[in-house]
Amino acid sequence: MNHDQQQVPQRLIYGCMGLGGEWSGSDYGTAQVDQAAAAIEAARQAGVALFDHADIYRSGKSEAVFGEVLAATPGLREKILLQTKCGIRHGGNGLPGRYDFSAENILARVGESLQRLRTDHVDILLLHRPDPLMDVRELATTVAQLMAEGKVLALGVSNMSAAQIAFLEDRLETPVVANQLEMGLGNRAWVESSVLVNRGEGLDAGFPHGTLEYAATHGVELQAYGSLAQGRYTGCPPGGPDDAATSALVESLAAEHKTTREAVVLGWLMKHPARISPVIGTTDPVRIAACADAARVAAAMTRTEWYGLWVAARGAELP
């Protein structure tokens, strides 16, 4: 399927990985539901409409506490978009960790996610990581079934290359609408690989060449997890000595643009013409609110400022 020059969305996305308490199998309580409610409200106030989940986040509890908030807030589901991921199976009981795109697993995991989220559908289902044993014909049938039943409205992927997406789109009856990847000022392989073509270090960038270009020309939304770099440039928590110059520049640009440090870090990402949508992972309502100005900062940021941040974060001049 070809979607040349289709305009892809660019938006802030709230990542719900931090909601739900501990990663262990322990239960959640009122405090975790209240935390989720506060984060959801702060995200909505910051302009977020899409909320990102995965079946494995906090052993399913991220979805469960979110579902509690939805159930307690009439009309909220109709005002937001939900996406979740499946395909990663954690090891245990003598079984290895694995990736699983089998029909049995996807149908079961989607059903469980819908039950925890207390909704009858997700707007986007992401395939979490490539499964080397994927049978694309089986996958196509599974996706078609979920969409025919109204349980999934659109399909996306996570951590896939352009070649992998093209392979799926050639065989599925629905386009891939999103690809979620680790991208940001703290992980720059996605941008450095594009200028290190024909250089040895480009082979070590760790990002598949052509993925940004494929997304731009085929209408695939790029969703960036790790976009805030775990707070290392915004003082939450303070970064190490290697981050000092970048943190100082972020603070200086925040003052110049009359905004927050979070908005500068996200604005740098959103300035890229690939129209990248940052996934915000913090659970702190104050930090969530601090992200709201990112799109304005992206529009106002100059080339000099953008390259200055890149060079500072690299710790070296460009080749």
Side-chain angles (χ1 to χ4, degrees):
M1 290 197 175
N2 195 316
H3 308 280
D4 286 349
Q5 299 179 349
Q6 175 180 314
Q7 185 77 354
V8 297
Q10 184 185 43
R11 52 192 169 181
L12 295 179
I13 300 170
Y14 184 70
C16 299
M17 178 187 283
L19 305 179
E22 301 296 326
W23 278 90
S24 67
S26 60
D27 203 1
Y28 64 85
T30 303
Q32 286 72 45
V33 176
D34 290 344
Q35 178 194 49
I40 293 167
E41 179 59 22
R44 293 191 64 223
Q45 290 297 320
V48 171
L50 177 58
F51 292 82
D52 173 70
H53 288 273
D55 59 340
I56 62 170
Y57 288 169
R58 309 282 163 165
S59 303
K61 291 180 291 185
S62 296
E63 292 179 329
V65 294
F66 200 100
E68 295 258 16
V69 177
L70 285 181
T73 315
L76 178 59
R77 178 64 183 94
E78 290 71 31
K79 297 175 183 176
I80 64 172
L81 300 171
L82 287 178
Q83 72 179 22
T84 195
K85 311 178 197 72
C86 69
I88 297 179
R89 303 291 303 275
H90 287 152
N93 298 319
L95 297 174
R98 56 210 185 275
Y99 308 126
D100 190 348
F101 288 173
S102 67
E104 178 183 13
N105 183 63
I106 291 178
L107 293 175
R109 300 291 86 77
V110 170
E112 292 167 1
S113 288
L114 293 178
Q115 185 176 25
R116 286 191 292 264
L117 288 167
R118 304 197 190 192
T119 185
D120 61 355
H121 73 280
V122 290
D123 297 278
I124 309 174
L125 173 68
L126 302 185
L127 303 175
H128 207 158
R129 281 193 180 274
D131 174 12
L133 298 181
M134 174 186 69
D135 180 338
V136 72
R137 293 164 297 184
E138 179 185 31
L139 177 63
T141 299
T142 305
V143 172
Q145 177 182 335
L146 288 169
M147 298 184 82
E149 293 172 349
K151 295 178 179 178
V152 170
L153 302 190
L155 181 70
V157 297
S158 184
N159 304 295
M160 288 199 186
S161 69
Q164 290 169 316
I165 296 172
F167 175 67
L168 289 175
E169 290 198 307
D170 187 55
R171 290 157 175 80
L172 300 179
E173 295 181 1
T174 186
V176 171
V177 302
N179 186 14
Q180 191 173 120
L181 300 153
E182 186 173 6
M183 305 168 72
L185 191 58
N187 186 320
R188 301 166 304 281
W190 59 279
V191 65
E192 296 191 356
S193 67
S194 68
V195 300
L196 295 175
V197 174
N198 204 35
R199 295 182 65 91
E201 58 261 51
L203 300 175
D204 299 325
F207 192 87
H209 293 299
T211 300
L212 299 186
E213 293 80 1
Y214 185 93
T217 56
H218 290 76
V220 179
E221 179 184 21
L222 289 169
Q223 301 180 356
Y225 67 85
S227 58
L228 283 173
Q230 291 76 48
R232 56 193 278 197
Y233 305 127
T234 57
C236 301
D242 293 341
D243 299 326
T246 310
S247 299
L249 183 54
V250 167
E251 187 170 8
S252 174
L253 289 172
E256 183 173 339
H257 286 276
K258 296 181 173 56
T259 190
T260 64
R261 293 174 294 178
E262 286 81 1
V264 170
V265 171
L266 297 182
W268 181 85
L269 183 64
M270 297 175 82
K271 180 74 174 178
H272 193 279
R275 295 184 58 81
I276 300 163
S277 298
V279 180
I280 304 164
T282 178
T283 61
D284 182 351
V286 174
R287 291 195 68 214
I288 295 171
C291 299
D293 201 28
R296 182 191 68 81
V297 174
M301 185 176 289
T302 67
R303 275 178 169 265
T304 300
E305 291 169 342
W306 192 88
Y307 274 95
L309 280 170
W310 185 14
V311 169
R314 290 187 92 235
E317 288 293 333
L318 303 182

